[in-house]
Structures are given as structure tokens and as C-alpha cells.
């Protein structure tokens, strides 16, 4: 069994959405050896920083919050698909030859995985791409950018996917991951009443 960690390392210097300073984590040592008898730290962080899972509540006040997300959709078989040639938005045309089947959880590997810093022109899922995924009946989608949409004031991509009950993971790292099928384990922190949560996301190959 091989375990691939596809999570971003949370640290002060990490890439964050639009490089907004407030989205950077603040990690503070409350106590430190040898001054204290133990090392103990705290952290303040935007819940959409780093690898995280979005809850429907992110774009809809009536939507489910992260503590209510069905974990059956997050410990699941999944498939990594290659979209590394795409430079802008992922459209229906980009997805049409990928043999997408109902019930799949897809991980979209794009050129985003090859840079650590935030790219203002990151690859995202364009409206027609989201509609196609929704129409195909997938159960979830993960992308290697900190946002699955870009420059969409009405947040169509998020809404189209959430309206079909599709789970969204943002900020996975897929540079080292070959296309193909894996078992995925993506567990968001159980925080009451919020719009998303950081997750450690792993892909497992040759699971017995
Ligand atoms: Zn998010």
C-alpha cells in the first residue's frame, strides 16, 4: 500500500488566495521548551487557506455546514485526470473526452500543481465545465487551486456543483500524482456551523 499526501504544508510563507495577508496562518508558541516544560502552540487561520473542503454554506445561507458533510463522500474511490494543458478555465469541451461516469469523485490535475505560489491566473472550473460535471452526476471534485472558480461574482461554479450535492475540495497538490484511480481519504476538521475546514487529504494506491 502506498500513501500519497496531497495536502499543502501549513506555514507562514505558504501561497494563499490572492496573496491576501489576512489569509496567512498565524502560528504562535504559547509555551516553549526549555523556558517552559512543554511545547504548546495555537493557530489562527482562514478556513479556506491551504487544502480544505468547502461546505454548501460557503455560498448559501441555507446550505449544510462543514460539520454536517457526509464522510462517505470523502473516503471514497477517486480518479485523477490530466488537464495540465489547459491555460485558463476548464470547460465542457475539456472534459468531454474524459469518460466521466456517474458516482465518480474526480481530481483535476492542472498546471496549478506545478507552482507553489498563488497564481492570479490560476486554472479554475468554468461555468460550462461545472454544468457538465453536474450533468454527469459525479459525487465530488477536487482542484489544485485555492479556488474552484475565478472572477465569478455570482459564484456560479460553486452553486452549480453544490446544487447537485457535489463535494468540493480545493488546494490539493498533484504534481507527483499520476493519472488513475486511488482510494481517497479527505477528512475536514469537525467545526460547528462554518463554511469550510482544512483537511489532510491522502490518496492510497494498492489498497488491500
Ligand atoms: Zn474554499
Amino acid at each position: 500500500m502506498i500513501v500519497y499526501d496531497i495536502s499543502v504544508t501549513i506555514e507562514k510563507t505558504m501561497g494563499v488566495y490572492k496573496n491576501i495577508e489576512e489569509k496567512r496562518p498565524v502560528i504562535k508558541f504559547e509555551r516553549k521548551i526549555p523556558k517552559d516544560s512543554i511545547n504548546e502552540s495555537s493557530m489562527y487561520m482562514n478556513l479556506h487557506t491551504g487544502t480544505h473542503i468547502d461546505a454548501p454554506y460557503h455560498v448559501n445561507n441555507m446550505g449544510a455546514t462543514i460539520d454536517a458533510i457526509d464522510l462517505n463522500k470523502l473516503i471514497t474511490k477517486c480518479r485523477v485526470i490530466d488537464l495540465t494543458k489547459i491555460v485558463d478555465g476548464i470547460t465542457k469541451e475539456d472534459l468531454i473526452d474524459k469518460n466521466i461516469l456517474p458516482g465518480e469523485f474526480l481530481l483535476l490535475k492542472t498546471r496549478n500543481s506545478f507552482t507553489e505560489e498563488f497564481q492570479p491566473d490560476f486554472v479554475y472550473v468554468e461555468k460550462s465545465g461545472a454544468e457538465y460535471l453536474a450533468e454527469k452526476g459525479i459525487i465530488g471534485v477536487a482542484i489544485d487551486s485555492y479556488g474552484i472558480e475565478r472572477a465569478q461574482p455570482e459564484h456560479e461554479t460553486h452553486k452549480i456543483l453544490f446544487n447537485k450535492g457535489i463535494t468540493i475540495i480545493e488546494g490539493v497538490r498533484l504534481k507527483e500524482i499520476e493519472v488513475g484511480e486511488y482510494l481517497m481519504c479527505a477528512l475536514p476538521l469537525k467545526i460547528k456551523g462554518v463554511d469550510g475546514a482544512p483537511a489532510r487529504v491522502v490518496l492510497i494506491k494498492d489498497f488491500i
Side-chain angles (χ1 to χ4, degrees):
M1 183 175 95
I2 310 165
V3 177
Y4 299 96
D5 186 358
I6 58 166
S7 325
V8 176
T9 301
I10 296 170
E11 56 186 330
K12 202 168 171 238
T13 54
M14 69 193 292
V16 292
Y17 191 70
K18 292 187 175 173
N19 284 326
I20 298 169
E21 216 38 47
E22 298 81 70
K23 293 195 189 286
R24 288 190 195 287
V26 179
I27 300 165
K28 187 181 150 208
F29 275 92
E30 306 284 353
R31 297 204 277 167
K32 192 102 173 76
I33 297 170
K35 185 174 161 283
D36 302 300
S37 60
I38 204 165
N39 288 323
E40 194 178 302
S41 41
S42 63
M43 181 171 74
Y44 168 86
M45 189 174 81
N46 183 296
L47 296 174
H48 298 266
T49 287
T51 309
H52 68 280
I53 293 161
D54 276 355
Y57 182 65
H58 190 32
V59 292
N60 178 357
N61 255 348
M62 304 300 287
T65 52
I66 199 73
D67 48 310
I69 293 280
D70 181 3
L71 298 184
N72 287 296
K73 288 184 180 174
L74 290 166
I75 302 175
T76 178
K77 206 170 97 170
C78 71
R79 180 160 67 101
V80 177
I81 60 172
D82 181 9
L83 298 168
T84 52
K85 299 271 190 298
I86 295 168
V87 290
D88 196 40
I90 300 167
T91 64
K92 177 181 178 177
E93 285 66 43
D94 298 319
L95 296 167
I96 218 149
D97 64 346
K98 300 296 180 194
N99 303 316
I100 297 168
L101 298 171
E104 279 200 298
F105 199 117
L106 294 176
L107 282 75
L108 314 179
K109 180 177 179 176
T110 78
R111 64 176 174 81
N112 297 329
S113 276
F114 296 85
T115 42
E116 294 304 317
E117 306 86 50
F118 175 77
Q119 304 291 316
D121 63 343
F122 65 87
V123 178
Y124 66 105
V125 178
E126 192 257 289
K127 189 182 171 200
S128 74
E131 280 169 345
Y132 184 71
L133 293 174
E135 187 186 303
K136 280 285 163 188
I138 64 166
I139 61 162
V141 59
I143 190 161
D144 51 5
S145 62
Y146 291 130
I148 197 162
E149 65 181 46
R150 170 151 65 78
Q152 293 176 356
E154 300 299 321
H155 307 296
E156 306 93 90
T157 292
H158 273 96
K159 287 178 181 169
I160 290 162
L161 297 171
F162 281 144
N163 284 345
K164 279 290 169 94
I166 297 168
T167 302
I168 301 173
I169 305 180
E170 294 170 325
V172 294
R173 307 307 294 155
L174 300 172
K175 185 180 167 186
E176 315 290 345
I177 307 299
E178 286 179 23
V179 298
E181 293 193 332
Y182 298 85
L183 174 69
M184 180 180 70
C185 185
L187 300 177
L189 293 180
K190 196 174 184 178
I191 307 172
K192 184 92 179 162
V194 295
D195 40 273
R200 187 74 176 252
V201 184
V202 297
L203 298 183
I204 302 167
K205 196 89 186 163
D206 303 328
F207 184 73
I208 302 159

